[in-house]
Amino acid sequence: MDVTSSSAVVTGGASGLGAATARALAARGAHVVVLDRQEENGRKVAAEIGGTFALADVSDEEQVQSAVDTAVAAAPLRVLVNCAGLGPAQRIVERDGTPIPLKKFEFAVRVNLVGSYNCARLAAAAMTRSEPGADGEKGVVLHTASVAAFDGQIGQTPYAAAKGGVVGMTLPMARDLAIHGIRVNTIAPGLVDTPIYGTGDKADAFKAKLGASVVFPQRLGYAEEYATLAMELITNSYMNGEVVRLDGAIRLPPR
């Protein structure tokens, strides 16, 4: 699919995977709506790529609909990339016998899974109103899961459950949207160097230790590598209903 003269919504577009993907889409000629709760960084990225910033919570219907409307006003909406997410760690029952507060599990599921679904349903509805291209294609939805969906570590039950839900809905969502000419794929990244790890010597040492656990290459992944794969899944019209691991062949140990 050619994204030139189309619009795209990238959630979590203010930094990390989302920012790299927003830049890649803009470089291909798309008008990108950077959807994020980080207003300062989001506006910077949007200004850099000639896009538009939308302040929104991915689980908020009205805010996401407003971002979709902004995208449609600029050009036909053909791409949604869901990069917004978070992964708070806590055991289901702590060593002292205290159970995890249910609200922590609900929060992780709401942002990672409900948020992805909310953005997909609203963006897809707008895509159905676009003119079809080759093969009747109207748009693409790309989700971000995690290798934690398959190899969840100690303390990752909320995150793994949410990302496992993203993996699980990929194929049925692709089947649902096939009649509208909309494809759906998911990337499951491994250990990627994003701002979550911080900066400085201490952070660099920690990232080097994490990178040593990767089979090859023995380093953390780069956001640009995610963006490269994202663009392939977006533009390759025969990629549909797939979950692709991007992880240097790592398989996470229990901790």
Side-chain angles (χ1 to χ4, degrees), residues 9 61 64-65 68-69 71-72 76-80 116-131 138-141 173 176-184:
V9 174
E61 182 173 6
V64 173
Q65 184 63 63
V68 168
D69 291 343
V72 171
L77 178 59
R78 297 196 180 277
V79 179
L80 167 70
S116 294
Y117 192 88
N118 183 46
C119 292
R121 70 188 185 89
L122 296 175
M127 291 175 190
T128 64
R129 297 188 288 273
S130 300
E131 288 296 319
K138 292 185 176 182
V140 182
V141 173
M173 187 177 289
D176 270 9
L177 295 176
I179 61 170
H180 299 293
I182 299 170
R183 294 182 292 111
V184 182

Side-chain angles (χ1 to χ4, degrees), residues 14 23 38-50 53:
R23 293 185 181 102
Q38 300 180 61
E39 185 168 5
E40 184 177 356
N41 285 347
R43 290 191 183 281
K44 285 181 180 178
V45 173
E48 172 194 333
I49 63 175
F53 174 70

Side-chain angles (χ1 to χ4, degrees), residues 43-251:
R43 290 191 183 281
K44 285 181 180 178
V45 173
E48 172 194 333
I49 63 175
T52 306
F53 174 70
L55 180 64
D57 178 334
V58 291
S59 65
D60 186 292
E61 182 173 6
E62 291 184 2
Q63 291 176 2
V64 173
Q65 184 63 63
S66 177
V68 168
D69 291 343
T70 297
V72 171
L77 178 59
R78 297 196 180 277
V79 179
L80 167 70
V81 183
N82 276 321
C83 289
L86 46 81
Q90 186 171 352
R91 294 172 185 252
I92 185 171
V93 177
E94 296 290 1
R95 292 183 183 277
D96 64 1
T98 304
I100 186 174
L102 187 58
K103 64 182 179 181
K104 288 199 172 184
F105 182 86
E106 291 174 336
F107 179 62
V109 171
R110 183 160 187 81
V111 173
N112 293 291
L113 179 55
V114 176
S116 294
Y117 192 88
N118 183 46
C119 292
R121 70 188 185 89
L122 296 175
M127 291 175 190
T128 64
R129 297 188 288 273
S130 300
E131 288 296 319
D135 298 321
E137 187 171 20
K138 292 185 176 182
V140 182
V141 173
L142 179 61
H143 297 299
T144 304
S146 166
V147 295
F150 314 101
D151 316 331
Q153 296 183 294
I154 289 171
Q156 284 192 322
T157 52
Y159 186 64
K163 292 301 189 179
V166 173
V167 168
M169 73 181 180
T170 301
L171 181 57
M173 187 177 289
R175 289 171 167 171
D176 270 9
L177 295 176
I179 61 170
H180 299 293
I182 299 170
R183 294 182 292 111
V184 182
N185 291 295
T186 293
I187 298 176
L191 304 176
V192 180
D193 189 356
T194 65
I196 193 173
Y197 294 112
T199 57
D201 292 342
K202 188 174 181 180
D204 289 343
F206 178 64
K207 289 187 286 188
K209 183 178 180 180
L210 286 177
S213 66
V214 179
V215 177
F216 184 81
Q218 289 193 317
R219 59 167 174 79
L220 301 187
Y222 303 133
E224 291 75 17
E225 290 170 327
Y226 173 97
T228 298
L229 179 56
M231 291 307 301
E232 176 63 22
L233 295 176
I234 290 167
T235 59
N236 188 326
S237 295
Y238 210 61
M239 286 298 297
N240 194 18
E242 290 297 329
V243 178
V244 183
R245 288 182 67 133
L246 179 67
D247 60 15
I250 196 172
R251 297 299 181 266

